[in-house]
Amino acid sequence: MSLLGAAEIRELAELLDLRPAKSLGQNFVIDGNVCQKIVRVAGVTADDIALEIGPGLGSLTLALLEVTSNVIAVEIDQRLADRLPITVAEHKDSDYKLTVINTDALALRELPVAPTVLVANLPYNVSVPVLLHLLEILPSLNTGVVMVQAEVADRLAAKPGTKEYGIPSLKASWWAQVSGAGSVSRSIFWPVPGVDSKLVSFKRHETPGDEVMRKGVFQLVDAAFAQRRKMLRAALSGIFGSSAKAEAVLIAAGIDPTLRGESLLIDSFCAIYNASQSVK
Ligand code: SAM
């Protein structure tokens, strides 16, 4: 089966009269080898049901279908969603199942089948919300690799105490262990983007609590980083009513109130949440 290269991508774009929209992060991969590498890094097997967000012209979709015969593709742009089955049929024999859903990934609530792996070159302006949303609504997603803007990849995989560590790192770590998985050259895209890209991989783990707790913990995380330089007792004073109350909760949780959010793992935010339920 052939993959899409620069010439095919341009032909398809011409055929569809497509001018890549920056607002939709439409930078298409023109190098089939890179797509195969992403699928390899994701560890996709024949048993997987793969979910791809933003299949675009189908570069990564075709690489996925070399390994698994079951792919669900969610694409916001109707022209691209309508064309994808045709492109795939032109490149592949009939022993596969491709489900194309023409919608905004952020509006997804459920899927017809439960995907096991996420592989996507995510639209850069919504990559973090899309990833967090999918982890929330699709508990069957065990693993995945996504390509995102380099800075976003660094933030998602950051460790406490670094300048990259913050809301994306903490919220992603509620659901999964996230790691950097390599850089990607700008030259493999058409059009060439103005930013560098990286891969991040994730492996789902058990969440530290239920949905009620997650919402409470995420509220604490948002408050702790609303003003990053503030000590926790000041940053959380709004949530707890005063800095004295925030300090009492932090002490009950065994956390130094003069620390900043950037030094805490998600477990510590869970401890603060649990303490807040008993210290009134
Ligand atoms: N996967 C293709 C590739 O690697 O060549 C295209 C990737 S391109 C970076 C991002 C794709 O996501 C585009 O096809 C774009 O139309 C689509 N997209 C943008 N926002 C979206 C959203 N909110 N939900 C679903 N698809 C979206």
Side-chain angles (χ1 to χ4, degrees):
M1 186 184 82
S2 58
L3 296 168
L4 300 181
E8 286 88 355
I9 292 287
R10 275 177 199 274
E11 262 169 43
L12 277 169
E14 247 169 59
L15 187 76
L16 298 178
D17 196 17
L18 177 83
R19 283 203 211 136
K22 223 177 178 180
S23 59
L24 294 178
Q26 290 182 337
N27 300 94
F28 304 106
V29 176
I30 56 171
D31 183 336
N33 294 327
V34 172
C35 293
Q36 285 175 322
K37 183 188 155 193
I38 295 171
V39 173
R40 238 183 355 258
V41 172
V44 179
T45 70
D47 295 331
D48 275 311
I49 299 174
L51 171 64
E52 183 184 4
I53 300 298
L57 292 166
S59 309
L60 193 50
T61 323
L62 286 171
L64 274 167
L65 285 167
E66 286 187 330
V67 181
T68 171
S69 54
N70 200 341
V71 173
I72 308 163
V74 177
E75 171 59 60
I76 199 170
D77 186 327
Q78 190 174 352
R79 293 164 304 171
L80 297 175
D82 289 349
R83 173 70 208 188
L84 188 64
I86 302 168
T87 303
V88 170
E90 284 172 358
H91 286 78
K92 189 152 168 66
D93 297 333
S94 56
D95 57 338
Y96 64 87
K97 186 163 187 282
L98 171 68
T99 310
V100 181
I101 301 173
N102 176 210
T103 192
D104 179 345
L106 288 168
L108 268 185
R109 290 287 161 259
E110 56 187 3
L111 287 170
V113 279
T116 52
V117 62
L118 171 69
V119 183
N121 174 11
L122 288 177
Y124 287 3
N125 46 349
V126 288
S127 54
V128 172
V130 166
L131 180 61
L132 294 176
H133 179 62
L134 296 175
L135 285 165
E136 180 186 337
I137 64 159
L138 299 171
S140 61
L141 268 186
N142 286 322
T143 58
V145 166
V146 291
M147 176 145 60
V148 295
Q149 187 178 337
E151 288 76 12
V152 173
D154 293 343
R155 274 186 229 139
L156 280 166
K159 300 280 172 267
T162 61
K163 69 177 189 330
E164 290 81 15
Y165 191 68
I167 294 173
S169 349
L170 274 155
K171 289 187 178 173
S173 74
W174 172 273
W175 304 109
Q177 191 184 332
V178 182
S179 332
S183 305
V184 180
S185 160
R186 288 182 195 199
S187 64
I188 60 128
F189 296 98
W190 175 80
V192 176
V195 293
D196 290 318
S197 302
K198 283 187 180 174
L199 300 175
V200 287
S201 65
F202 69 84
K203 191 163 176 33
R204 185 184 285 274
H205 53 218
E206 212 169 302
T207 59
D210 61 14
E211 273 299 283
V212 175
M213 179 171 173
R214 180 183 68 76
K215 286 180 184 150
V217 169
F218 279 20
Q219 204 186 4
L220 291 169
V221 169
D222 287 332
F225 287 88
Q227 284 166 295
R228 199 184 165 92
R229 302 305 302 160
K230 273 195 177 173
M231 292 177 191
L232 283 167
R233 70 172 165 226
L236 302 183
S237 61
I239 286 189
F240 294 124
S242 69
S243 59
K245 284 200 182 134
E247 181 156 344
V249 172
L250 287 159
I251 289 169
I255 290 166
D256 177 352
T258 65
L259 289 177
R260 297 188 179 96
E262 63 198 20
S263 59
L264 303 188
L265 287 165
I266 194 76
D267 292 353
S268 299
F269 281 96
C270 293
I272 300 169
Y273 173 83
N274 285 332
S276 74
Q277 300 304 295
S278 38
V279 179
K280 292 285 176 194

